[in-house]
Amino acid sequence: MQLRIVILPGDGVGPEVTEQAVRVLQELADIHGHVFHFEEHAVGGDAIRETGSPLPRATLEACLDADAVLLGAIGSPEFDHLPINQRPEAGLLSLRRSLGGFANLRPVISHAVLAEVSPLRPHIVAGTDILFVRELLGGLYSGEPRGIIAQNGSSSAYNTMRYSVAEIERVARIAFESAMQRRGKVTSVDKANVLETSQLWRTTVSRVAAEYPEVALDHLYVDAAAMHIITNPSRFDVILTENLFGDILSDEAAVIAGSLGMLASGTVGGLVDLFEPVHGSAPDIAGKDCANPLGAICSAAMLLRHTARAENEASDIDAAINLTLEAGYRTADIARGPGDYVIGCADMGQRITEALAEVADMRYAYHAV
Ligand code: IPM
Ligand code: MN
């Protein structure tokens, strides 16, 4: 298999974690005899510093030409003073729009070995396996009109939450199709008791559900969903929701996994799939080699699973992560007990790489007998 992967390290801890994800992908390519071509480009604050734009043309062209894009993180306090459309985040939003992926998949899994790490009680997080399907292009993020009006020394600001039936239908289908591969349940999250967009969301999702009789659908208001996610996360299979609700709820759900650093995401449905850890640039710990690269490494696994349809390779990464965590290796964000070996970002990448070789050996031994 040959894959052209554009790497966008971005800001803060982005370069550290993507470096480890690339290392893991390279090891996997060596083990399985694949050829992965990596091409690195600037995006976000990093690109503003280099070129003045958060999404330089060369970066976008390379991404459009690739089989998949793996991004680190975006955002830097250095550019907080800039207007919204010139900030590093504008580069990410415009990259997402140009690549066209509208369904952002965010799995949240409670690893048994990390159950103690979550601030939630272990019996609450045990067995949690949720897939968030977050609509990624519409809603408040891109609705027009938007702006700030300054008048008579006082200002007001406004954004528009807008969804069309077609936008809701296409992301709903991804949620139902994902549920068919999983435990057959979709929970659609909205605020249909207050918002017209949510009323349209609810009726459209219910109509699409009729095409998937094997899948059970229920609806929750977003405020109630926020509570249920934290009190009874194992009741969920697929959670389907609009852009901003999904942004907020997926960060909340990260506490189930033990740390935001554990979460991966993949955006599908467009011209080129985009993979990125859910965590941000974390400028406070950037450059200190203590970030958790597992979110980025799991994003690489998602790339293999969704874009390359390489399920064996992707599950090798999952197995290598499990082996490494079971052996007690932890980055600082997921370290708790006295039996933990606290290691840095690069060391974690190294451990996963070594565990991959072990996983491959085990598979070989299994097939040889
Ligand atoms: C995320 C991030 C982004 C978002 C930011 C960086 C624009 O928080 O991917 O969840 O809001 O979508
Ligand atoms: Mn977010």
Side-chain angles (χ1 to χ4, degrees), residues 282-346:
D284 50 325
I285 58 162
K288 296 185 179 158
D289 189 37
C290 63
N292 184 347
L294 294 180
I297 292 171
C298 289
S299 301
M302 289 187 79
L303 185 162
L304 294 171
R305 186 166 274 134
H306 291 273
T307 306
R309 308 251 168 241
E311 179 56 41
N312 286 343
E313 286 80 345
S315 44
D316 278 8
I317 296 185
D318 297 342
I321 290 175
N322 279 331
L323 275 182
T324 309
L325 292 176
E326 272 159 20
Y329 295 107
R330 304 277 189 274
T331 43
D333 58 320
I334 49 171
R336 287 294 178 276
D340 292 344
Y341 305 110
V342 181
I343 58 177
C345 179

Side-chain angles (χ1 to χ4, degrees), residues 52-312:
S53 155
L55 180 63
R57 182 190 292 238
T59 299
L60 178 58
E61 279 171 6
C63 290
L64 285 168
D65 224 26
D67 293 313
V69 178
L70 182 64
L71 180 140
I74 297 280
S76 163
E78 183 188 335
F79 302 108
D80 278 353
H81 63 282
L82 292 177
I84 294 279
N85 61 357
Q86 290 168 30
R87 289 169 59 117
E89 289 82 352
L92 175 60
L93 298 178
S94 116
L95 176 67
R96 286 176 179 170
R97 271 192 299 276
S98 309
L99 299 185
F102 52 82
N104 179 229
L105 313 177
R106 297 188 163 187
V108 177
I109 296 162
S110 163
H111 286 270
V113 285
L114 293 184
E116 296 288 335
V117 176
S118 171
L120 299 173
R121 272 174 281 167
H123 76 270
I124 291 191
V125 298
T128 299
D129 179 359
I130 306 176
L131 177 67
F132 280 87
V133 178
R134 167 188 175 194
E135 200 292 325
L136 200 66
L137 296 183
L140 284 165
Y141 276 66
S142 60
E144 296 284 347
R146 61 188 291 160
I148 300 179
I149 312 168
Q151 235 170 12
N152 307 329
S154 135
S155 331
S156 58
Y158 56 100
N159 291 90
T160 302
M161 189 188 262
R162 184 187 298 271
Y163 271 106
S164 69
V165 167
E167 283 172 306
I168 302 167
E169 278 176 354
R170 64 184 187 176
V171 71
R173 290 208 166 86
I174 303 267
F176 286 107
E177 267 148 39
S178 307
M180 303 226 335
Q181 312 296 317
R182 295 169 49 95
R183 301 189 304 282
K185 192 174 160 198
V186 170
T187 301
S188 175
V189 171
D190 62 39
K191 188 71 184 172
N193 50 345
V194 176
L195 303 175
E196 283 82 356
T197 40
S198 282
Q199 286 167 355
L200 187 70
W201 183 277
R202 195 174 275 223
T203 48
T204 306
V205 171
S206 300
R207 201 176 50 248
V208 173
E211 297 167 26
Y212 300 88
E214 308 90 329
V215 178
L217 169 68
D218 64 351
H219 302 273
L220 274 182
Y221 296 138
V222 62
D223 47 356
M227 184 185 66
H228 288 293
I229 286 170
I230 228 71
T231 52
N232 189 10
S234 56
R235 67 170 267 180
F236 295 106
D237 179 12
V238 175
I239 295 183
L240 163 66
T241 193
E242 67 88 42
N243 204 346
L244 184 65
F245 296 163
D247 178 46
I248 297 168
L249 294 179
S250 57
D251 266 34
E252 184 203 7
V255 303
I256 297 163
S259 160
L260 191 51
M262 295 297 296
L263 256 53
S265 90
T267 303
V268 300
L271 298 169
V272 181
D273 297 341
L274 169 66
F275 298 86
E276 37 178 329
V278 175
H279 65 71
S281 56
D284 50 325
I285 58 162
K288 296 185 179 158
D289 189 37
C290 63
N292 184 347
L294 294 180
I297 292 171
C298 289
S299 301
M302 289 187 79
L303 185 162
L304 294 171
R305 186 166 274 134
H306 291 273
T307 306
R309 308 251 168 241
E311 179 56 41
N312 286 343

